Coordinates of all heavy atoms in Angstrom, one line a residue:
M1377 N 0.8 -1.2 0.0 CA 0.0 0.0 0.0 C 0.9 1.2 0.0 O 1.7 1.4 0.9 CB -0.9 0.0 1.2 CG -1.7 1.2 1.5 SD -2.9 1.1 2.8 CE -2.1 0.3 4.1
E1378 N 0.8 2.0 -1.1 CA 1.6 3.2 -1.1 C 1.0 4.4 -0.4 O -0.3 4.4 -0.3 CB 1.8 3.6 -2.6 CG 2.7 2.7 -3.4 CD 2.9 3.2 -4.8 OE1 2.8 4.4 -5.0 OE2 3.1 2.4 -5.7
L1379 N 1.8 5.3 0.0 CA 1.3 6.5 0.6 C 1.0 7.5 -0.5 O 1.9 8.2 -1.0 CB 2.3 7.1 1.6 CG 1.9 8.3 2.4 CD1 0.6 8.0 3.2 CD2 3.0 8.7 3.3
D1380 N -0.2 7.6 -0.9 CA -0.6 8.5 -2.0 C -1.6 9.5 -1.4 O -2.8 9.3 -1.2 CB -1.4 7.6 -3.0 CG -1.7 8.5 -4.3 OD1 -1.1 9.5 -4.5 OD2 -2.6 8.1 -5.0
M1381 N -1.0 10.7 -1.1 CA -1.8 11.8 -0.4 C -1.7 13.0 -1.3 O -0.7 13.3 -2.0 CB -1.2 12.1 1.0 CG -1.2 10.9 1.9 SD -0.5 11.4 3.5 CE -1.9 12.1 4.3
A1382 N -2.8 13.8 -1.2 CA -2.8 15.1 -1.9 C -1.8 16.0 -1.2 O -1.5 15.8 0.0 CB -4.3 15.6 -1.9
A1383 N -1.4 17.0 -1.9 CA -0.4 17.9 -1.4 C -0.8 18.5 -0.1 O 0.0 18.6 0.8 CB -0.1 19.0 -2.5
D1384 N -2.1 19.0 0.0 CA -2.5 19.6 1.3 C -2.6 18.6 2.4 O -2.3 19.0 3.5 CB -3.9 20.3 1.1 CG -5.0 19.4 0.6 OD1 -4.7 18.3 -0.1 OD2 -6.1 19.6 0.9
E1385 N -3.0 17.4 2.1 CA -3.0 16.3 3.2 C -1.6 16.0 3.6 O -1.3 15.9 4.8 CB -3.7 15.1 2.7 CG -5.2 15.2 2.4 CD -5.7 14.0 1.6 OE1 -5.0 13.3 0.9 OE2 -6.9 13.7 1.8
L1386 N -0.7 15.9 2.7 CA 0.7 15.6 3.0 C 1.3 16.7 3.8 O 2.0 16.4 4.8 CB 1.5 15.4 1.7 CG 2.9 15.0 1.8 CD1 3.1 13.7 2.6 CD2 3.6 14.8 0.5
K1387 N 1.0 17.9 3.5 CA 1.5 19.1 4.2 C 1.0 19.1 5.6 O 1.8 19.3 6.6 CB 1.2 20.4 3.5 CG 1.7 21.6 4.2 CD 1.3 22.9 3.4 CE 1.9 24.1 4.2 NZ 1.5 25.3 3.5
A1388 N -0.2 18.8 5.8 CA -0.8 18.7 7.2 C -0.1 17.6 8.0 O 0.2 17.9 9.2 CB -2.3 18.5 7.1
V1389 N 0.1 16.4 7.4 CA 0.7 15.4 8.2 C 2.2 15.7 8.5 O 2.6 15.5 9.7 CB 0.7 14.1 7.4 CG1 1.6 13.0 8.0 CG2 -0.8 13.5 7.3
L1390 N 2.9 16.3 7.5 CA 4.2 16.7 7.8 C 4.3 17.8 8.9 O 5.2 17.7 9.7 CB 4.9 17.2 6.5 CG 5.2 16.1 5.5 CD1 5.7 16.7 4.2 CD2 6.2 15.1 6.1
N1391 N 3.4 18.7 8.9 CA 3.4 19.7 9.9 C 3.1 19.1 11.3 O 3.8 19.5 12.3 CB 2.3 20.8 9.6 CG 2.6 21.7 8.5 OD1 3.8 21.8 8.2 ND2 1.7 22.4 8.0
R1392 N 2.2 18.2 11.4 CA 2.0 17.4 12.7 C 3.3 16.7 13.1 O 3.6 16.7 14.3 CB 0.9 16.4 12.6 CG -0.5 17.0 12.4 CD -1.6 16.0 12.6 NE -2.9 16.5 12.2 CZ -3.6 17.2 13.0 NH1 -3.1 17.6 14.2 NH2 -4.8 17.7 12.7
L1393 N 4.0 16.1 12.2 CA 5.2 15.3 12.5 C 6.3 16.3 13.0 O 7.0 16.0 13.9 CB 5.6 14.5 11.4 CG 4.7 13.3 11.1 CD1 5.2 12.6 9.8 CD2 4.6 12.3 12.2
R1394 N 6.4 17.4 12.3 CA 7.4 18.4 12.7 C 7.1 19.0 14.1 O 8.0 19.2 14.9 CB 7.5 19.5 11.7 CG 8.2 19.1 10.4 CD 8.4 20.2 9.5 NE 9.1 19.7 8.2 CZ 8.4 19.5 7.1 NH1 7.1 19.8 7.0 NH2 9.1 19.0 6.1
R1395 N 5.8 19.2 14.4 CA 5.4 19.7 15.7 C 5.8 18.6 16.8 O 6.3 19.0 17.8 CB 3.9 19.9 15.7 CG 3.4 20.6 17.0 CD 1.9 20.9 17.0 NE 1.5 21.6 15.8 CZ 0.6 21.3 14.9 NH1 -0.1 20.2 15.2 NH2 0.3 22.0 13.8
A1396 N 5.5 17.4 16.4 CA 5.8 16.3 17.4 C 7.3 16.2 17.6 O 7.8 16.0 18.7 CB 5.3 14.9 16.9
Q1397 N 8.1 16.4 16.5 CA 9.5 16.4 16.7 C 10.0 17.5 17.6 O 10.8 17.3 18.4 CB 10.1 16.5 15.2 CG 11.7 16.5 15.2 CD 12.2 16.6 13.8 OE1 11.6 17.3 13.0 NE2 13.3 15.9 13.5
G1398 N 9.4 18.7 17.5 CA 9.8 19.8 18.3 C 9.4 19.5 19.7 O 10.2 19.8 20.7
Q1399 N 8.2 18.9 20.0 CA 7.8 18.6 21.3 C 8.7 17.5 21.9 O 9.0 17.6 23.1 CB 6.4 18.1 21.3 CG 5.4 19.2 21.0 CD 4.0 18.7 20.6 OE1 3.8 17.6 20.1 NE2 3.0 19.5 21.1
L1400 N 9.1 16.5 21.1 CA 10.0 15.5 21.6 C 11.3 16.1 22.0 O 11.9 15.7 23.0 CB 10.2 14.4 20.6 CG 11.0 13.2 21.0 CD1 10.4 12.6 22.3 CD2 11.1 12.2 19.9
N1401 N 11.9 17.0 21.2 CA 13.1 17.7 21.6 C 12.9 18.4 22.9 O 13.9 18.5 23.7 CB 13.5 18.7 20.5 CG 14.1 18.0 19.2 OD1 14.5 16.8 19.3 ND2 14.0 18.6 18.1
A1402 N 11.8 19.0 23.1 CA 11.5 19.7 24.3 C 11.5 18.7 25.5 O 12.0 19.1 26.6 CB 10.2 20.5 24.2
V1403 N 10.9 17.5 25.3 CA 10.9 16.6 26.4 C 12.3 16.2 26.8 O 12.7 16.1 28.0 CB 10.1 15.3 26.0 CG1 10.3 14.1 26.9 CG2 8.6 15.6 25.8
I1404 N 13.1 15.9 25.8 CA 14.5 15.6 26.0 C 15.2 16.7 26.8 O 15.9 16.4 27.8 CB 15.3 15.3 24.7 CG1 14.7 14.0 24.1 CG2 16.8 15.1 24.9 CD1 15.1 13.7 22.7
R1405 N 15.0 17.9 26.4 CA 15.7 19.0 27.1 C 15.2 19.1 28.5 O 15.9 19.3 29.4 CB 15.4 20.3 26.3 CG 16.2 21.5 26.7 CD 16.0 22.7 25.8 NE 14.7 23.0 25.4 CZ 14.1 22.7 24.1 NH1 14.9 22.1 23.2 NH2 12.9 23.0 23.9
M1406 N 13.8 19.0 28.7 CA 13.3 19.0 30.1 C 13.9 18.0 31.0 O 14.1 18.2 32.1 CB 11.8 18.9 30.0 CG 11.1 20.0 29.3 SD 9.3 19.6 28.9 CE 8.6 19.8 30.6
I1407 N 14.1 16.8 30.5 CA 14.6 15.7 31.2 C 16.1 16.0 31.6 O 16.5 15.8 32.7 CB 14.5 14.4 30.5 CG1 13.0 13.9 30.5 CG2 15.4 13.3 31.2 CD1 12.8 12.7 29.6
E1408 N 16.8 16.5 30.6 CA 18.2 16.8 30.9 C 18.3 17.9 31.9 O 19.3 18.0 32.6 CB 18.9 17.3 29.6 CG 19.1 16.2 28.6 CD 19.6 16.6 27.2 OE1 19.5 17.8 26.9 OE2 20.1 15.8 26.5
E1409 N 17.3 18.9 31.9 CA 17.4 20.0 32.9 C 16.8 19.6 34.2 O 16.8 20.4 35.2 CB 16.6 21.2 32.3 CG 17.2 21.8 31.1 CD 16.3 22.8 30.4 OE1 15.1 23.0 30.8 OE2 16.7 23.4 29.4
G1410 N 16.3 18.4 34.3 CA 15.7 17.9 35.6 C 14.4 18.6 36.0 O 14.1 18.8 37.1
R1411 N 13.6 18.9 34.9 CA 12.3 19.5 35.1 C 11.3 18.7 35.8 O 11.5 17.4 36.0 CB 11.7 19.9 33.8 CG 12.5 21.0 33.0 CD 12.2 22.4 33.4 NE 10.8 22.7 33.2 CZ 10.3 23.3 32.1 NH1 11.1 23.4 31.1 NH2 9.1 23.6 32.0
D1412 N 10.2 19.2 36.3 CA 9.2 18.5 37.1 C 8.6 17.4 36.3 O 8.4 17.5 35.1 CB 8.1 19.6 37.4 CG 7.0 18.9 38.3 OD1 7.3 18.5 39.4 OD2 5.9 18.8 37.7
C1413 N 8.4 16.3 37.0 CA 7.9 15.1 36.4 C 6.5 15.3 35.6 O 6.3 14.8 34.5 CB 7.7 14.0 37.4 SG 6.8 12.5 36.8
E1414 N 5.7 16.0 36.3 CA 4.3 16.3 35.7 C 4.5 17.1 34.4 O 3.7 16.8 33.4 CB 3.5 17.1 36.7 CG 2.1 17.3 36.3 CD 1.2 18.0 37.3 OE1 1.6 18.0 38.5 OE2 0.1 18.5 37.0
D1415 N 5.4 18.1 34.3 CA 5.6 18.8 33.1 C 6.1 17.9 32.0 O 5.7 18.1 30.8 CB 6.6 19.9 33.3 CG 6.0 21.0 34.3 OD1 4.8 21.1 34.5 OD2 6.9 21.8 34.8
V1416 N 7.0 17.0 32.3 CA 7.6 16.2 31.3 C 6.5 15.2 30.7 O 6.4 15.1 29.5 CB 8.8 15.3 31.9 CG1 9.2 14.3 30.9 CG2 9.9 16.2 32.3
V1417 N 5.7 14.6 31.6 CA 4.7 13.7 31.2 C 3.6 14.4 30.4 O 3.1 13.9 29.4 CB 4.1 13.0 32.4 CG1 2.8 12.2 32.0 CG2 5.1 12.0 33.1
T1418 N 3.3 15.6 30.8 CA 2.3 16.4 30.0 C 2.8 16.7 28.6 O 2.1 16.5 27.6 CB 2.0 17.7 30.7 OG1 1.4 17.5 32.0 CG2 1.1 18.6 29.9
Q1419 N 4.1 17.0 28.4 CA 4.7 17.2 27.2 C 4.8 15.9 26.3 O 4.5 15.9 25.2 CB 6.1 17.8 27.3 CG 6.7 18.4 26.0 CD 5.9 19.6 25.5 OE1 5.2 20.3 26.2 NE2 6.0 19.7 24.2
M1420 N 5.1 14.8 27.0 CA 5.1 13.5 26.3 C 3.7 13.1 25.8 O 3.6 12.6 24.7 CB 5.6 12.4 27.3 CG 7.1 12.6 27.5 SD 7.8 11.4 28.7 CE 7.6 9.9 27.7
A1421 N 2.6 13.5 26.6 CA 1.3 13.2 26.1 C 1.0 14.0 24.8 O 0.3 13.5 23.9 CB 0.3 13.5 27.2
A1422 N 1.5 15.2 24.8 CA 1.3 16.1 23.6 C 2.0 15.4 22.4 O 1.4 15.5 21.3 CB 1.8 17.5 23.8
V1423 N 3.2 14.9 22.6 CA 3.9 14.3 21.5 C 3.1 13.1 21.0 O 2.9 12.9 19.8 CB 5.3 13.8 22.0 CG1 6.0 13.0 20.9 CG2 6.2 15.0 22.3
S1424 N 2.6 12.3 21.9 CA 1.9 11.1 21.6 C 0.6 11.4 20.8 O 0.3 10.8 19.8 CB 1.5 10.3 22.8 OG 0.7 9.1 22.5
R1425 N -0.1 12.5 21.2 CA -1.3 12.9 20.5 C -1.0 13.3 19.1 O -1.7 13.0 18.1 CB -2.1 14.0 21.2 CG -2.9 13.5 22.4 CD -3.8 14.5 23.0 NE -3.1 15.7 23.4 CZ -2.5 15.9 24.6 NH1 -2.5 15.0 25.5 NH2 -1.9 17.1 24.8
A1426 N 0.1 14.1 18.9 CA 0.5 14.6 17.6 C 0.8 13.4 16.7 O 0.5 13.4 15.5 CB 1.7 15.6 17.7
L1427 N 1.6 12.4 17.2 CA 1.9 11.3 16.4 C 0.7 10.5 16.0 O 0.5 10.0 14.9 CB 2.9 10.4 17.1 CG 4.3 11.0 17.3 CD1 5.1 10.1 18.1 CD2 5.0 11.2 15.9
D1428 N -0.2 10.3 17.0 CA -1.5 9.6 16.7 C -2.3 10.3 15.6 O -2.8 9.6 14.7 CB -2.3 9.5 18.0 CG -1.8 8.4 19.0 OD1 -0.9 7.7 18.6 OD2 -2.2 8.5 20.1
R1429 N -2.4 11.6 15.7 CA -3.2 12.3 14.7 C -2.6 12.2 13.3 O -3.3 12.1 12.3 CB -3.4 13.8 15.1 CG -4.3 13.9 16.4 CD -4.3 15.3 16.9 NE -5.0 16.3 16.0 CZ -6.3 16.4 16.0 NH1 -7.1 15.8 16.9 NH2 -7.0 17.3 15.2
A1430 N -1.3 12.2 13.3 CA -0.7 12.1 11.9 C -0.8 10.6 11.4 O -1.2 10.5 10.2 CB 0.9 12.3 12.1
G1431 N -0.8 9.6 12.3 CA -1.0 8.3 11.9 C -2.4 8.1 11.4 O -2.7 7.4 10.4
F1432 N -3.4 8.6 12.2 CA -4.8 8.5 11.8 C -5.1 9.1 10.4 O -5.8 8.7 9.6 CB -5.7 9.0 12.9 CG -5.8 8.2 14.1 CD1 -5.7 8.8 15.4 CD2 -5.8 6.8 14.1 CE1 -5.8 8.0 16.5 CE2 -5.9 6.0 15.2 CZ -5.9 6.6 16.4
A1433 N -4.4 10.3 10.2 CA -4.6 10.9 8.9 C -4.1 10.1 7.8 O -4.8 10.0 6.7 CB -3.9 12.3 8.9
I1434 N -3.0 9.4 8.0 CA -2.4 8.6 7.0 C -3.3 7.4 6.7 O -3.6 7.0 5.6 CB -1.0 8.1 7.4 CG1 0.0 9.3 7.3 CG2 -0.6 7.0 6.5 CD1 1.3 9.0 7.9
I1435 N -3.8 6.8 7.8 CA -4.7 5.7 7.7 C -6.0 6.1 7.0 O -6.6 5.4 6.2 CB -5.0 5.0 9.1 CG1 -3.7 4.3 9.5 CG2 -6.2 4.0 9.0 CD1 -3.8 3.9 11.0
A1436 N -6.6 7.2 7.4 CA -7.8 7.7 6.7 C -7.6 7.9 5.2 O -8.5 7.5 4.4 CB -8.2 9.0 7.4
T1437 N -6.5 8.4 4.8 CA -6.2 8.5 3.4 C -6.1 7.1 2.7 O -6.7 6.9 1.6 CB -4.9 9.3 3.2 OG1 -5.0 10.6 3.7 CG2 -4.5 9.4 1.7
G1438 N -5.5 6.2 3.4 CA -5.4 4.8 2.9 C -6.8 4.2 2.7 O -7.1 3.6 1.7
L1439 N -7.7 4.4 3.7 CA -9.0 3.9 3.6 C -9.8 4.6 2.5 O -10.5 3.8 1.8 CB -9.7 4.2 5.0 CG -11.1 3.7 5.1 CD1 -11.2 2.2 4.9 CD2 -11.7 4.1 6.5
Q1440 N -9.6 5.8 2.3 CA -10.3 6.6 1.2 C -9.9 6.0 -0.1 O -10.7 5.7 -1.0 CB -10.0 8.0 1.3 CG -10.9 9.0 0.7 CD -10.5 10.4 1.1 OE1 -9.3 10.7 1.4 NE2 -11.4 11.3 1.0
N1441 N -8.5 5.8 -0.3 CA -8.0 5.3 -1.5 C -8.5 3.8 -1.7 O -8.8 3.4 -2.9 CB -6.5 5.3 -1.5 CG -5.9 6.7 -1.6 OD1 -6.6 7.6 -2.0 ND2 -4.7 6.8 -1.2
C1442 N -8.5 3.0 -0.6 CA -9.0 1.6 -0.7 C -10.4 1.6 -1.2 O -10.8 0.8 -2.1 CB -8.9 1.0 0.7 SG -9.6 -0.6 0.8
M1443 N -11.3 2.5 -0.7 CA -12.7 2.4 -1.1 C -12.9 2.8 -2.5 O -13.7 2.3 -3.2 CB -13.5 3.4 -0.2 CG -13.6 2.9 1.3 SD -14.3 4.1 2.4 CE -16.0 4.2 1.7
A1444 N -12.0 3.8 -3.0 CA -12.1 4.3 -4.3 C -11.7 3.2 -5.3 O -12.2 3.0 -6.4 CB -11.4 5.6 -4.5
E1445 N -10.6 2.5 -5.0 CA -9.9 1.6 -5.9 C -10.5 0.2 -5.8 O -10.5 -0.5 -6.8 CB -8.4 1.6 -5.6 CG -7.7 2.8 -5.9 CD -6.2 2.8 -5.5 OE1 -5.8 1.8 -5.0 OE2 -5.6 3.9 -5.5
G1446 N -11.0 -0.2 -4.6 CA -11.3 -1.6 -4.4 C -12.8 -1.9 -4.6 O -13.2 -3.0 -4.3
A1447 N -13.6 -0.9 -5.1 CA -15.0 -1.2 -5.2 C -15.3 -2.4 -6.1 O -16.3 -3.1 -5.9 CB -15.6 0.1 -5.7
S1448 N -14.5 -2.6 -7.1 CA -14.7 -3.6 -8.1 C -14.1 -5.0 -7.7 O -14.4 -6.0 -8.4 CB -14.3 -3.2 -9.5 OG -12.9 -3.0 -9.5
D1449 N -13.3 -5.0 -6.7 CA -12.5 -6.2 -6.4 C -12.7 -6.5 -4.9 O -12.0 -6.1 -4.0 CB -11.0 -6.0 -6.6 CG -10.2 -7.2 -6.2 OD1 -10.8 -8.4 -6.1 OD2 -9.0 -7.1 -6.1
P1450 N -13.8 -7.3 -4.6 CA -14.1 -7.6 -3.2 C -13.0 -8.3 -2.4 O -12.8 -8.0 -1.2 CB -15.3 -8.5 -3.3 CG -15.9 -8.3 -4.6 CD -14.8 -7.9 -5.5
A1451 N -12.3 -9.2 -3.0 CA -11.2 -9.9 -2.3 C -10.1 -8.9 -2.0 O -9.5 -8.9 -0.9 CB -10.7 -11.0 -3.1
G1452 N -9.7 -8.1 -2.9 CA -8.7 -7.0 -2.7 C -9.1 -6.0 -1.7 O -8.3 -5.6 -0.8
R1453 N -10.4 -5.7 -1.7 CA -10.9 -4.7 -0.7 C -10.9 -5.3 0.7 O -10.5 -4.7 1.7 CB -12.4 -4.4 -1.0 CG -12.9 -3.3 -0.1 CD -14.4 -2.9 -0.5 NE -15.3 -4.1 -0.5 CZ -16.0 -4.4 -1.6 NH1 -16.0 -3.7 -2.7 NH2 -16.8 -5.5 -1.5
D1454 N -11.2 -6.6 0.8 CA -11.1 -7.3 2.1 C -9.7 -7.4 2.6 O -9.4 -7.1 3.9 CB -11.7 -8.7 2.0 CG -13.2 -8.6 1.9 OD1 -13.8 -7.6 2.1 OD2 -13.8 -9.7 1.5
R1455 N -8.7 -7.6 1.8 CA -7.3 -7.7 2.2 C -6.9 -6.3 2.7 O -6.2 -6.2 3.7 CB -6.4 -8.2 1.1 CG -6.5 -9.7 0.8 CD -5.4 -10.1 -0.1 NE -5.4 -9.5 -1.4 CZ -6.2 -9.8 -2.4 NH1 -6.9 -10.9 -2.3 NH2 -6.1 -9.2 -3.6
M1456 N -7.2 -5.3 1.9 CA -6.8 -3.9 2.2 C -7.5 -3.5 3.6 O -6.9 -2.9 4.4 CB -7.3 -2.9 1.1 CG -6.8 -1.5 1.4 SD -5.0 -1.3 1.5 CE -4.6 -1.4 -0.2
R1457 N -8.8 -3.9 3.7 CA -9.4 -3.6 5.0 C -8.7 -4.2 6.2 O -8.6 -3.5 7.2 CB -10.9 -4.1 4.9 CG -11.7 -3.8 6.2 CD -13.0 -4.5 6.1 NE -13.7 -4.5 7.4 CZ -13.3 -5.2 8.5 NH1 -12.4 -6.1 8.4 NH2 -14.0 -5.1 9.6
A1458 N -8.3 -5.4 6.0 CA -7.6 -6.1 7.1 C -6.2 -5.4 7.4 O -5.9 -5.3 8.6 CB -7.3 -7.6 6.7
R1459 N -5.6 -5.0 6.4 CA -4.3 -4.3 6.6 C -4.5 -3.0 7.3 O -3.8 -2.6 8.2 CB -3.6 -4.1 5.2 CG -3.0 -5.4 4.6 CD -2.5 -5.2 3.3 NE -1.3 -4.3 3.2 CZ -0.8 -3.8 2.2 NH1 -1.4 -4.1 1.0 NH2 0.2 -3.1 2.2
L1460 N -5.5 -2.2 6.8 CA -5.8 -0.9 7.4 C -6.3 -1.1 8.9 O -5.9 -0.3 9.8 CB -6.9 -0.2 6.6 CG -6.4 0.4 5.3 CD1 -7.5 0.8 4.4 CD2 -5.4 1.5 5.5
E1461 N -7.1 -2.2 9.1 CA -7.5 -2.4 10.5 C -6.3 -2.7 11.4 O -6.3 -2.2 12.5 CB -8.5 -3.6 10.5 CG -9.0 -3.9 11.9 CD -10.0 -5.1 11.8 OE1 -10.7 -5.2 10.9 OE2 -10.1 -5.8 12.8
K1462 N -5.4 -3.5 10.9 CA -4.2 -3.7 11.7 C -3.4 -2.5 12.0 O -2.9 -2.2 13.1 CB -3.3 -4.8 11.0 CG -2.1 -5.2 11.7 CD -1.3 -6.3 10.9 CE -0.1 -6.7 11.7 NZ 0.7 -7.7 11.0
L1463 N -3.3 -1.6 11.0 CA -2.6 -0.4 11.2 C -3.3 0.5 12.2 O -2.7 1.1 13.1 CB -2.5 0.4 9.8 CG -1.4 -0.1 8.8 CD1 -1.6 0.6 7.5 CD2 0.0 0.0 9.4
F1464 N -4.6 0.6 12.1 CA -5.4 1.4 13.0 C -5.2 0.9 14.4 O -5.0 1.7 15.3 CB -6.9 1.4 12.6 CG -7.7 2.2 13.5 CD1 -7.8 3.6 13.3 CD2 -8.5 1.6 14.5 CE1 -8.6 4.3 14.2 CE2 -9.3 2.3 15.3 CZ -9.4 3.7 15.2
L1465 N -5.3 -0.4 14.6 CA -5.2 -0.9 16.0 C -3.8 -0.7 16.5 O -3.6 -0.7 17.7 CB -5.5 -2.4 15.9 CG -7.0 -2.7 15.7 CD1 -7.3 -4.2 15.6 CD2 -7.8 -2.1 16.9
S1466 N -2.8 -0.6 15.7 CA -1.4 -0.4 16.2 C -1.3 1.0 16.8 O -0.4 1.2 17.6 CB -0.4 -0.6 15.0 OG -0.5 0.5 14.1
L1467 N -2.2 1.9 16.4 CA -2.2 3.2 17.0 C -3.1 3.4 18.2 O -2.9 4.3 19.0 CB -2.6 4.3 15.9 CG -1.6 4.6 14.7 CD1 -2.3 5.4 13.7 CD2 -0.4 5.2 15.3
A1468 N -4.0 2.5 18.3 CA -5.0 2.6 19.4 C -4.4 2.1 20.7 O -3.5 1.5 20.8 CB -6.2 1.7 19.0

């Protein structure tokens, strides 16, 4: 399954991933500075949410493509559905 996203969708996912990267760098810096545990965990939760949202956007695009391409091939659609379900559950 290829990652085939429209330019605006791809830009949104990349922005989320860059935001998560910045947040992760902040977590590392906070730990190195000995910051409060609650602050570190709060920032880690933000990183996790950003990664989840990027992953869900990618899966949603895959599902959209699957529905468009697999309408005429039930067996292929079922295989793609199983793969997307597995991906979705890996994020849940």
Side-chain angles (χ1 to χ4, degrees):
M1377 173 173 43
E1378 288 184 30
L1379 182 60
D1380 184 22
M1381 300 179 82
D1384 59 331
E1385 294 170 329
L1386 184 60
K1387 183 178 179 183
V1389 168
L1390 289 173
N1391 285 341
R1392 287 189 192 282
L1393 291 173
R1394 286 186 182 103
R1395 187 176 312 126
Q1397 184 178 34
Q1399 291 168 326
L1400 185 56
N1401 288 334
V1403 168
I1404 292 168
R1405 190 171 45 256
M1406 292 169 76
I1407 291 171
E1408 290 172 344
E1409 294 170 355
R1411 295 275 299 271
D1412 181 67
C1413 172
E1414 187 176 344
D1415 294 340
V1416 172
V1417 171
T1418 299
Q1419 192 66 26
M1420 288 177 69
V1423 172
S1424 180
R1425 283 190 304 273
L1427 291 173
D1428 286 347
R1429 290 175 71 85
F1432 289 137
I1434 291 169
I1435 291 170
T1437 299
L1439 181 60
Q1440 202 171 26
N1441 292 343
C1442 172
M1443 291 173 64
E1445 295 171 5
S1448 62
D1449 179 18
R1453 185 178 57 236
D1454 289 344
R1455 283 192 303 275
M1456 183 62 74
R1457 181 189 168 281
R1459 290 172 66 191
L1460 288 168
E1461 183 178 326
K1462 185 177 178 180
L1463 286 172
F1464 180 80
L1465 290 173
S1466 72
L1467 291 173

